[in-house]
């Protein structure tokens, strides 16, 4: 028996857990639905509340006119060995009610809390546990009474709404239906039996309860119903005599009423032969035993569902990440692992596994050549400017053969134009890399739960990129300077030969010296410098990308987080912990899943323990 009692206790615990987790049926197969439960169904004023109170042996249900029960009341009865009776609500777990009038008020208040005073109904259950030496272990669900008309202040839809809610409970194959019908009405018109017949045609999960036997017309009795001849069910019918309205008004004690009920059956000449199978106490025992039997049968399927859910929760935990270790070694390891994960994604971007790296080539292929093309050499090497620069360089003594100084100045000043595009390439690649860091962080699945570490990695990466940019800038500017520092001699030697050749072929020796200072002379200098600069431009167009890749891209791939690694390695435990701070929403989600998992696991352990006994 101890094992059987623990079975119902177990189901009670799982049911409460379900409500805490917001699972009270609905979509799909939930644990709640896998659990057997007893739903009390009946028309208005059929005596549902009276039966429930009688089973509990306490007055605790709200009374009144109209539809009083507007939310399902999950009533869990826990038999205790001894001690005072008390009640507890799941929504106020710290509060113990020993005054059952206060329980009644709390049910009414809690009903209004969700439905408002509007007299609407809600399918969110109220959970009430009653601990008492005088109850049997049992879970009963009190549902709104089936009605045919809406009363004032209630929407017309309430009739259908109630039926739909009651139906949603009783149509579950695991629901045991406690169908309450008043004896002073034709059983054929009973709302409870009508509904039960629909959802449970074979009658295997319906318990028929006949109330108000004392109110039957003189000369009639309900023996045909109670012996199963009027309407056949798999389980025996139970007759009940509750307190009348007059008894309630006179505050007749419920235990006194129970005694009177017993006496009623024992002394009845019509029901005397059935006395041992009648009354609310017998009903409670009958239901409890049946519920235990059913739970035992259902254990394999409940267990299967629990195991399936545990697997799902574990998978979900894997997806959002397990809790992090607390010792500094493990934390450091986690941080480094996360950094490496990020680094992998970043490299994939550069190497073409992910998009974005191609934009660096775009800088070299479009941006740099376009910028070079736009340099204002036409203006700088115009006849006028060449003339001006060369004359200034000559000073008081005009050049004799070739304007060496003038050439130098023109070439140097032209080359300095290359600084702009060189630096622009460095910056453009820098921004591509920075963008790739940002992208890689958001694409690193593992990092998603660690906003602090993500920010740290971003900052460290950007610091490194900044350093690489500086180095790269120095290098490309150096390439440009190198072009000024030593000119390609062959180029000018070749030039020197050409005009002479031309002059010889022109046979125009006498004009040579005059020519030297004419427009043509300066035009030639301009075009020579322009040709030379063109050559330099070709060289730089090739060498700037090499320098940029060498200093920025290659370094980013090789050593983006090196400095960060050294810094992290030196950090104290506390700092490491801070770096692994998680998004509060995620932490909440994880702890919710962990809680759920814990619940399901302990349910499984308990079921295992009970099932093996
Ligand atoms: N004489 C007598 N009166 C009963 C019996 N059962 C219930 N009553 C009375 O019938 C009325 C309705 O009983 P309840 O227990 O409130 O019925 P209910 O189905 O819970 O009603 P609603 O919650 O309004 O749907 C009350 O006045 C009870 O005193 C019974 O067996 N005998």
């Amino acid at each position: 028996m101890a094992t059987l009692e623990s079975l119902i206790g177990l189901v009670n615990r799982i049911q409460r857990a379900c409500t805490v987790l917001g699972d009270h049926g609905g979509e799909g197969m939930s644990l709640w639905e896998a659990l057997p439960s007893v739903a009390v169904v009946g028309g208005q004023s059929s005596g549902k509340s009276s039966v429930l109170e009688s089973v509990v042996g306490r007055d605790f249900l709200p009374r009144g006119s109209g539809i009083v029960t507007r939310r399902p009341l999950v009533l869990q009865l826990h038999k205790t060995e001894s001690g005072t009776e008390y009640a507890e609500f799941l929504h106020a777990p710290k509060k113990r009610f020993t005054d059952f009038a206060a329980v009644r008020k709390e049910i009414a208040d809690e009903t209004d809390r969700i439905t408002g005073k509007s007299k609407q109904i809600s399918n969110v259950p109220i959970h009430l546990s009653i601990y008492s030496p005088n109850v049997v272990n049992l879970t009963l669900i009190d549902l709104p009474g089936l009605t045919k008309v809406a009363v004032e202040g209630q929407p017309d839809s309430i009739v259908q709404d109630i039926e739909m809610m009651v139906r949603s409970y009783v149509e579950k194959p695991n629901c045991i239906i406690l169908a309450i019908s008043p004896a002073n009405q034709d059983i054929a018109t009973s709302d409870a039996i009508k509904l039960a017949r629909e959802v449970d045609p074979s009658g295997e999960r319906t318990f028929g309860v006949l109330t108000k036997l004392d109110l039957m017309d003189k000369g009639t009795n309900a023996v045909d119903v109670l012996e199963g001849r009027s309407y056949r069910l798999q389980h025996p019918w139970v007759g009940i005599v509750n307190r009348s309205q007059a008894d309630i008004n006179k505050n007749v004690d419920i235990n006194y009423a129970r005694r009177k009920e017993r006496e009623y059956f024992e002394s009845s000449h019509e029901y005397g032969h059935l006395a041992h199978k009648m009354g609310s106490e017998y009903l409670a025992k009958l239901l409890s035993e049946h519920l235990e039997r059913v739970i035992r049968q259902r254990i394999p399927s409940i267990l299967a569902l629990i195991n399936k859910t545990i697997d799902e929760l574990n998978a979900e935990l894997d997806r959002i990440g397990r809790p992090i270790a607390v010792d500094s070694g493990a934390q450091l390891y986690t941080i480094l692992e996360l950094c490496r994960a990020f680094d992998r994604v970043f490299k994939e971007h550069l190497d073409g596994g992910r998009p974005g790296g191609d934009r660096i080539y775009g800088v070299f292929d479009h941006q740099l050549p376009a910028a070079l093309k736009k340099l204002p050499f036409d203006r700088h090497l115009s006849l006028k400017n060449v003339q001006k620069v060369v004359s200034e360089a000559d000073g008081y003594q005009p050049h004799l053969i070739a304007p060496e100084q003038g050439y130098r100045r023109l070439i140097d000043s032209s080359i300095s134009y290359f600084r702009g595009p060189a630096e622009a390439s460095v910056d453009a690649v820098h921004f591509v890399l920075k963008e790739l860091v940002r992208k890689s962080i958001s694409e690193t699945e593992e990092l998603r739960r660690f906003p602090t570490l993500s920010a740290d990695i971003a900052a460290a990466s950007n610091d490194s990129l900044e350093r690489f940019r500086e180095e790269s800038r120095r290098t490309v500017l150096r390439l440009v300077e190198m072009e000024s520092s030593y000119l390609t001699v062959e180029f000018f030697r070749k030039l020197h030969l050409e005009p002479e050749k031309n002059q010889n072929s022109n046979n125009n020796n006498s004009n040579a010296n005059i020519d030297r200072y004419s427009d043509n002379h300066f035009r030639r200098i301009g075009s020579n410098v322009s040709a030379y600069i063109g050559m330099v431009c070709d060289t730089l167009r090739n060498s700037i990308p090499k320098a940029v890749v060498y200093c920025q891209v290659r370094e980013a791939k090789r050593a983006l987080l090196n400095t960060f690694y050294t810094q992290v390695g030196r950090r104290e435990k506390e700092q490491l912990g801070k770096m692994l701070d998680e998004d509060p929403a995620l932490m909440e989600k994880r702890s919710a899943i962990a809680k759920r998992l814990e619940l399901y696991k302990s349910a499984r352990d308990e079921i295992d323990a009970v099932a093996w006994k």
Side-chain angles (χ1 to χ4, degrees):
M1 198 59 191
T3 54
L4 291 182
E5 276 175 12
S6 55
L7 271 182
I8 291 187
L10 166 76
V11 169
N12 283 352
R13 279 196 293 283
I14 301 176
Q15 272 174 344
R16 269 177 294 169
C18 286
T19 296
V20 170
L21 302 172
D23 164 15
H24 32 79
E27 302 292 294
M29 182 63 179
S30 68
L31 187 52
W32 172 271
E33 285 169 25
L35 299 172
S37 56
V38 181
V40 185
V41 183
Q44 264 192 344
S45 289
S46 55
K48 294 183 303 304
S49 309
S50 301
V51 170
L52 273 175
E53 287 183 333
S54 191
V55 164
V56 178
R58 278 291 192 172
D59 293 293
F60 66 97
L61 290 172
R63 290 291 171 87
S65 60
I67 302 168
V68 178
T69 310
R70 283 179 291 115
R71 284 174 63 184
L73 175 74
V74 178
L75 178 64
Q76 302 186 327
L77 305 179
H78 309 259
K79 186 175 175 55
T80 52
E81 287 308 316
S82 58
T84 49
E85 282 178 308
Y86 65 93
E88 246 175 30
F89 285 95
L90 186 67
H91 63 261
K94 296 234 160 59
K95 210 162 149 197
R96 276 192 178 192
F97 291 78
T98 46
D99 173 9
F100 279 76
V103 171
R104 173 178 295 161
K105 182 168 184 313
E106 183 63 34
I107 294 174
D109 291 350
E110 178 60 19
T111 299
D112 287 345
R113 206 174 60 76
I114 294 254
T115 62
K117 297 250 180 229
S118 61
K119 304 290 176 223
Q120 301 273 20
I121 58 167
S122 155
N123 59 358
V124 180
I126 299 175
H127 274 252
L128 172 62
S129 286
I130 294 179
Y131 299 82
S132 163
N134 309 318
V135 297
V136 287
N137 283 314
L138 190 59
T139 300
L140 296 159
I141 303 166
D142 189 18
L143 295 166
L146 295 162
T147 170
K148 293 195 174 60
V149 280
V151 300
E152 213 185 282
Q154 282 172 339
D156 289 337
S157 65
I158 197 138
V159 176
Q160 280 85 45
D161 290 347
I162 291 178
E163 190 181 323
M164 255 158 61
M165 187 205 289
V166 174
R167 207 177 266 279
S168 76
Y169 277 84
V170 297
E171 69 191 2
K172 303 272 149 63
N174 290 320
C175 180
I176 297 160
I177 306 165
L178 193 62
I180 315 272
S181 314
N184 56 353
Q185 246 179 43
D186 187 355
I187 197 74
T189 64
S190 157
D191 294 314
I193 289 298
K194 228 160 49 200
L195 187 60
R197 198 200 320 242
E198 247 183 74
V199 296
D200 176 33
S202 65
E204 59 188 338
R205 52 189 183 90
T206 302
F207 283 81
V209 175
L210 207 57
T211 57
K212 305 192 184 180
L213 286 172
D214 58 318
L215 291 185
M216 291 185 76
D217 287 340
K218 282 231 155 34
T220 61
N221 67 55
V223 173
D224 276 353
V225 177
L226 292 177
E227 289 187 340
R229 281 189 296 277
S230 295
Y231 183 70
R232 213 182 149 62
L233 292 168
Q234 306 278 330
H235 305 283
W237 280 80
V238 180
I240 298 268
V241 176
N242 288 314
R243 287 171 297 175
S244 66
Q245 189 58 48
D247 292 338
I248 293 173
N249 294 347
K250 276 188 284 177
N251 275 330
V252 168
D253 178 63
I254 196 159
N255 289 313
Y256 172 76
R258 269 186 173 187
R259 212 163 49 239
K260 292 285 284 185
E261 184 189 33
R262 218 163 31 233
E263 280 168 22
Y264 174 89
F265 286 112
E266 279 164 3
S267 64
S268 159
H269 65 274
E270 285 149 328
Y271 309 121
H273 66 293
L274 296 169
H276 63 291
K277 288 177 157 187
M278 295 288 131
S280 24
E281 277 172 276
Y282 176 74
L283 177 64
K285 214 168 109 245
L286 184 71
L287 284 176
S288 173
E289 280 169 12
H290 179 71
L291 189 60
E292 282 163 352
R293 244 192 333 273
V294 172
I295 292 173
R296 194 169 270 291
Q297 280 168 11
R298 296 275 188 279
I299 280 181
S301 65
I302 296 175
L303 214 47
L305 184 68
I306 288 180
N307 281 330
K308 185 171 149 257
T309 313
I310 288 177
D311 287 348
E312 283 166 4
L313 291 174
N314 272 326
E316 178 70 2
L317 265 191
D318 280 338
R319 205 183 58 73
I320 66 169
R322 300 262 167 190
I324 340 144
V326 282
D327 66 297
S328 56
Q331 285 179 337
L332 184 61
Y333 178 81
T334 307
I335 292 174
L336 296 182
E337 279 293 292
L338 291 166
C339 290
R340 269 191 281 276
F342 155 77
D343 208 39
R344 257 196 312 278
V345 174
F346 180 70
K347 281 190 181 120
E348 279 173 29
H349 274 296
L350 290 177
D351 292 337
R354 291 169 193 254
D358 52 318
R359 280 170 47 211
I360 293 175
Y361 176 66
V363 172
F364 304 148
D365 193 44
H366 303 296
Q367 209 169 314
L368 176 62
L372 292 174
K373 204 175 264 168
K374 275 203 211 114
L375 291 177
F377 291 128
D378 284 351
R379 193 159 27 87
H380 189 62
L381 299 177
S382 66
L383 178 63
K384 220 167 118 213
N385 201 43
V386 169
Q387 203 161 13
K388 181 169 162 274
V389 173
V390 170
S391 311
E392 276 172 14
D394 279 351
Y396 72 93
Q397 170 68 72
H399 61 272
L400 302 179
I401 299 165
E404 184 83 7
Q405 275 308 318
Y407 267 112
R408 272 268 169 202
R409 282 198 190 178
L410 282 171
I411 289 171
D412 280 351
S413 52
S414 297
I415 285 178
S416 71
Y417 280 112
F418 290 117
R419 298 166 67 102
E423 283 182 299
S425 301
V426 170
D427 289 344
V429 169
H430 176 76
F431 287 117
V432 173
L433 291 172
K434 233 173 123 167
E435 174 61 14
L436 291 184
V437 163
R438 195 191 61 73
K439 258 176 123 160
S440 303
I441 284 179
S442 71
E443 286 169 17
T444 307
E445 198 76 34
E446 300 91 319
L447 266 182
R448 226 160 259 177
R449 52 190 277 216
F450 302 111
T452 308
L453 182 61
S454 295
D456 286 350
I457 291 181
S461 302
N462 288 339
D463 276 357
S464 299
L465 290 182
E466 212 59 66
R467 269 185 287 112
F468 303 154
R469 158 152 82 170
E470 212 27 65
E471 181 60 30
S472 187
R473 191 206 314 278
R474 273 201 297 274
T475 307
V476 293
L477 290 182
R478 200 168 277 166
L479 283 179
V480 175
E481 272 169 44
M482 277 153 63
E483 290 298 334
S484 300
S485 64
Y486 187 72
L487 307 184
T488 308
V489 187
E490 287 74 29
F491 182 89
F492 292 97
R493 289 213 173 125
K494 264 191 239 147
L495 278 185
H496 188 64
L497 294 175
E498 274 168 24
E500 281 183 1
K501 237 185 346 192
N502 288 345
Q503 281 159 15
N504 284 342
S505 62
N506 285 349
N507 230 349
N508 206 0
N509 269 338
S510 53
N511 291 337
N513 278 344
I514 306 155
D515 237 16
R516 198 151 284 176
Y517 292 96
S518 71
D519 285 358
N520 256 352
H521 174 67
F522 288 111
R523 208 169 273 130
R524 189 168 301 130
I525 292 171
S527 79
N528 287 344
V529 171
S530 175
Y532 185 77
I533 291 302
M535 187 187 76
V536 171
C537 184
D538 287 343
T539 310
L540 288 177
R541 189 171 36 235
N542 292 323
S543 59
I544 287 172
K546 290 177 209 275
V548 167
V549 168
Y550 183 86
C551 297
Q552 288 173 276
V553 183
R554 192 192 66 126
E555 279 306 278
K557 262 175 79 171
R558 198 181 63 85
L560 187 64
L561 289 177
N562 278 8
T563 320
F564 186 60
Y565 290 147
T566 342
Q567 287 167 357
V568 172
R570 279 195 233 108
R571 287 204 184 154
E572 298 295 328
K573 176 178 177 344
E574 200 184 323
Q575 288 170 300
L576 293 176
K578 277 203 191 115
M579 292 174 81
L580 289 174
D581 261 1
E582 288 184 271
D583 178 2
L586 195 72
M587 274 153 87
E588 220 163 84
K589 189 169 173 198
R590 180 182 309 103
S591 81
I593 294 178
K595 211 161 88 191
R596 220 178 170 119
L597 197 57
E598 205 50 49
L599 249 147
Y600 277 70
K601 277 185 180 161
S602 68
R604 180 172 65 184
D605 292 348
E606 286 186 70
I607 293 178
D608 279 346
V610 172
W612 284 105
K613 272 196 188 147

